[in-house]
């Protein structure tokens, strides 16, 4: 089974896997939005159940993570849940949170609904600050052994190798693209020198957050890895420098009730932003053999897209050359 191969994951196999876990499925399978994995919502009866309950099953992309890495993700979720931090942890079935059927790893979760987090809502951002402070307190208590870290090698250099071999970047753009990418990487190497790496959510943006009256929560930790704390904060920042500063101060006021923030990490924001940009381009390239990607990202193979990416990299190069964001107002 290749890293791209979900071809054998047909409805009958999914239903057989759920039956294997002791679930009596009473509904169809509703596909949820996920490109990296295959995720479905369904209703099922459990033993002696009087009415069906809603569940979510996630089939992990083959060969993306090892068994040890997936178990480490689940272990982190259980630690957070035990500390009363709102994440959706997988069910343990027959003593195991990670299930296996016909070559696929999968996990079952309770179905949780909520509203999308409003990034311009001060109350919700303050709650998120408290949530992340508590999450990082737990994240700092132990270290990942098997999960990867945010590094120049994994996010930039390996991505650069993928992009260097990519045939979709047109020849008239390629020289300028390669030069600006090299310049961005050089500045990131110089600037990205984190002093402390902790266990993180790793992909903390509004699309991965839900909100209920009690506060925000994550549905899973699929991209959890080690990195600087600012990685889980910077994607909530938008607008000009003053707006970013105001948002960050609002979140940190609550965050630091639980976990101390090192202001030196502010200089890591733009390198981390560049790492995310480049890694995303390479992620699409790596997944292009999966039929779901050309269907959902048809613009990836167009000249216009690569013209835009060249401009985006030039803009990011400019930001890398500026003074980092500071909690002290600019005068």
């Amino acid at each position: 089974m290749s890293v791209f191969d979900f071809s054998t994951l047909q409805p009958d196999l999914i239903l057989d896997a759920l039956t294997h876990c002791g679930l009596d499925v009473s509904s169809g399978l509703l596909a949820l939005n996920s490109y990296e994995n295959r995720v479905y919502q369904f209703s099922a009866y459990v033993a002696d159940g009087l009415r069906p309950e809603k569940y979510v099953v996630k089939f992990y992309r083959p060969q993306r993570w090892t068994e040890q890495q997936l178990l480490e993700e689940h272990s982190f979720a259980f630690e957070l849940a035990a500390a009363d931090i709102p994440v959706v942890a997988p069910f343990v079935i027959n003593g195991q949170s990670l299930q296996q059927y016909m070559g696929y790893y999968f996990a079952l979760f309770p179905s949780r609904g909520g509203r999308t987090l409003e990034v311009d809502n001060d109350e919700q951002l303050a709650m998120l600050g408290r949530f992340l402070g508590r999450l990082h307190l737990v994240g700092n208590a132990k270290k990942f052994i098997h999960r990867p870290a945010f590094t120049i090698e994994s996010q930039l250099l390996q991505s650069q190798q993928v992009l260097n071999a990519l045939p979709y970047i047109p020849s008239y753009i390629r020289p300028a693209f390669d030069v600006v990418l090299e310049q961005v990487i050089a500045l990131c190497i110089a600037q990205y020198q984190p002093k402390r790496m902790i266990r993180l959510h790793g992909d903390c943006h509004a699309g991965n957050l839900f909100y209920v009256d009690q506060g925000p929560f994550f549905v899973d930790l699929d991209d959890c890895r080690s990195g600087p704390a600012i990685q889980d904060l910077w994607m909530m920042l938008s607008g000009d420098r003053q707006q970013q500063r105001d948002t960050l101060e609002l979140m940190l006021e609550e965050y630091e009730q639980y976990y101390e923030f090192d202001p030196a990490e502010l200089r890591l924001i733009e390198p981390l932003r560049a790492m995310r940009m480049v890694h995303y381009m390479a992620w699409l390239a790596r997944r292009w053999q999966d039929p779901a990607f050309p269907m959902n990202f048809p613009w990836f193979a167009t000249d216009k897209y690569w013209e835009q990416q060249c401009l985006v990299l030039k803009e990011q190069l400019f930001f890398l050359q500026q003074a980092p964001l500071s909690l002290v107002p600019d005068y």
Side-chain angles (χ1 to χ4, degrees), residues 80-96:
L80 295 171
D84 201 27
I85 298 171
V87 298
V88 181
F91 286 113
V92 175
I93 301 172
N94 298 324
Q96 301 290 331

Side-chain angles (χ1 to χ4, degrees), residues 254-273:
E254 304 295 328
Y255 177 95
E256 291 198 295
Q257 295 183 35
Y258 302 94
Y259 191 74
E260 182 180 3
F261 178 73
D262 181 1
E265 290 196 0
L266 294 174
R267 71 187 64 170
L268 306 179
I269 292 177
E270 295 308 328
L272 284 166
R273 194 191 310 274

Side-chain angles (χ1 to χ4, degrees), residues 313-330:
L313 285 175
K314 290 178 179 179
E315 182 179 44
Q316 186 58 27
L317 179 64
F318 170 79
F319 288 125
L320 286 164
Q321 294 168 334
Q322 307 308 302
L325 183 68
S326 170
L327 295 176
V328 179
D330 299 323

